[in-house]
Amino acid sequence: MSGSRRDQRDLIEEPCLDYKCSPWTASSQRAADLYSSGVKLWRKEDLIDIEQQLAKACDVEKFTLRRLDGSIVHIKNPMFGVLKPIWEPVVKFQEFWYLVQSTPDGPPETYHCTYLVDWVNRTVRDYEGPLGTTRLVFESSRDRWNASLTCEAFTTQLRKLLLRADGAVKRVTKIVCFGLGDLNIKPKDWWRIQNDEMPPDQRMPEAGLINAALIHHALALTIADIVRSCADPGSPGVRILSQDPNYVDQTKDLLLETGIEVVGASGAGGFAEVDDESVVLSALAQAPVQQIIADLARPVAIVYAGNTSGRVFNQHSKPIGDPASPRTNQMWKEYNTWDFPVISESIQAEGSLHRFVVYTRREE
């Protein structure tokens, strides 16, 4: 009799609990599978497309994004039809670790989006206006950089790195820059209060807040000068392209006068410019620069001040800054690494040059 009861219990179907079977669990596994199979997180055509969409932010009712698996998702545009928007769209990237380890923000439909649309309120920036003294400070800072021992040492180093083993010069057609910093940043009120409370001889000029950005742009111009001086006669000109969504119009005008083209106003289009004949300069970019480059190209050289420690997560187990990934680790194996030659202590402090590392692509 007891055996009969056991048989009856075995025939009773217990309900299957939906425990830990969340959309995020399935999505993260799918993302990992796609990544392992070689699917790229970012493609140039997608970066160009979203940049073009955001350029017409007030004229489109929705934005169209391509997900990792190739499917399409549409998101509403809150600024559609607004005549004088105070919100400006920028591209927000969801890098590898957000796709596979850290639950992304937003609904499950966006879990496979490697780029989204974020919004920045520009009312305070527009109210305060530009710094106003940038032009003179820019020229003075560039002259001081050009005369520094650090600039001289870097120039000597990069000239050597652009030469092949057979003595030929590596072909470079563009310098592509990311996050060099706006040149018209005004200090916050709390900074002004603290600065005013300092003794007069210890107060900082407002322009001191853009010292790092000034050095970064001077460095970009130096890289272009080095490339031009090393190029063979008859070689095409070298373009300097710079992407920083924080650029104000006054900064864009100044850079254009110095020969620097501003690209990717929303933070995406500049990455589509990176190719195998470019030199990349990345300073303060708020994007997964090394991961994006790893998907798109193998530049001749990368002058990089991002996360070179190999660390991925902060104390809250969230990806930090520009984290490494399996694909970036593989990319860096194709490059030689050089310390940035910092000699002048003042230049180092102003441009955080001690954080830079120079990578040069190995010859085949």
Side-chain angles (χ1 to χ4, degrees), residues 94-121:
Q94 296 194 141
E95 44 79 32
F96 171 74
W97 297 105
Y98 273 102
L99 299 178
V100 303
Q101 195 275 339
S102 181
T103 309
D105 299 327
E109 290 80 6
T110 65
Y111 285 177
H112 277 178
C113 291
T114 59
Y115 58 99
L116 291 167
V117 180
D118 203 0
W119 297 89
V120 179
N121 192 306

Side-chain angles (χ1 to χ4, degrees), residues 54-74:
L54 298 191
K56 301 179 292 185
C58 296
D59 302 325
V60 294
E61 190 171 356
K62 61 186 178 182
F63 300 117
T64 301
L65 284 66
R66 183 180 180 277
R67 289 183 283 204
L68 180 61
D69 59 4
S71 60
I72 298 298
V73 62
H74 301 285

Side-chain angles (χ1 to χ4, degrees), residues 140-344:
S140 175
S141 178
R142 185 183 178 190
D143 290 342
R144 192 161 57 84
W145 158 256
N146 289 338
S148 70
L149 294 176
T150 299
C151 178
E152 181 181 349
F154 174 74
T155 299
T156 300
Q157 180 190 62
L158 189 59
R159 283 183 185 276
K160 295 178 180 178
L161 299 180
L162 290 177
L163 292 177
R164 298 184 183 274
D166 59 4
V169 178
K170 299 176 182 178
R171 179 180 170 87
V172 176
T173 60
K174 64 179 81 169
I175 318 298
V176 189
C177 310
F178 300 101
L180 301 190
D182 185 55
L183 298 175
N184 279 276
I185 297 175
K186 279 196 171 180
K188 304 296 183 183
D189 286 343
W190 63 263
W191 184 94
R192 288 195 179 99
I193 294 173
Q194 291 184 0
N195 197 48
D196 290 342
E197 292 174 349
M198 300 290 289
D201 61 335
Q202 297 182 25
R203 292 173 187 168
M204 284 184 58
E206 291 189 359
L209 295 179
I210 63 171
N211 280 340
L214 291 167
I215 296 299
H216 297 155
H217 288 88
L219 175 58
L221 293 167
T222 294
I223 294 174
D225 289 340
I226 296 169
V227 171
R228 292 181 183 120
S229 66
C230 293
D232 296 328
S235 298
V238 178
R239 300 168 62 200
I240 313 175
L241 313 175
S242 187
Q243 171 179 291
D244 193 322
N246 292 316
Y247 283 151
V248 298
D249 290 340
Q250 290 78 7
T251 297
K252 296 176 184 178
D253 293 340
L254 175 59
L255 295 181
L256 185 60
E257 291 177 15
T258 62
I260 298 177
E261 305 173 43
V262 177
V263 294
S266 299
F271 289 110
E273 298 284 352
V274 177
D275 58 26
D276 294 349
E277 295 182 349
S278 60
V279 171
V280 170
L281 170 61
S282 177
L284 306 170
Q286 297 178 343
V289 175
Q290 58 174 328
Q291 290 194 31
I292 296 175
I293 293 175
D295 267 1
L296 300 182
R298 292 295 183 266
V300 173
I302 303 173
V303 184
Y304 176 72
N307 178 10
T308 59
S309 65
R311 293 181 299 163
V312 173
F313 305 106
N314 61 17
Q315 65 270 29
H316 305 296
S317 297
K318 295 292 185 180
I320 57 175
D322 181 7
S325 70
R327 207 166 281 174
T328 65
N329 289 343
Q330 182 59 43
M331 177 182 71
W332 293 131
K333 292 178 182 179
E334 303 174 34
Y335 283 78
N336 292 318
T337 308
W338 313 84
D339 292 330
F340 193 96
V342 178
I343 298 176
S344 168

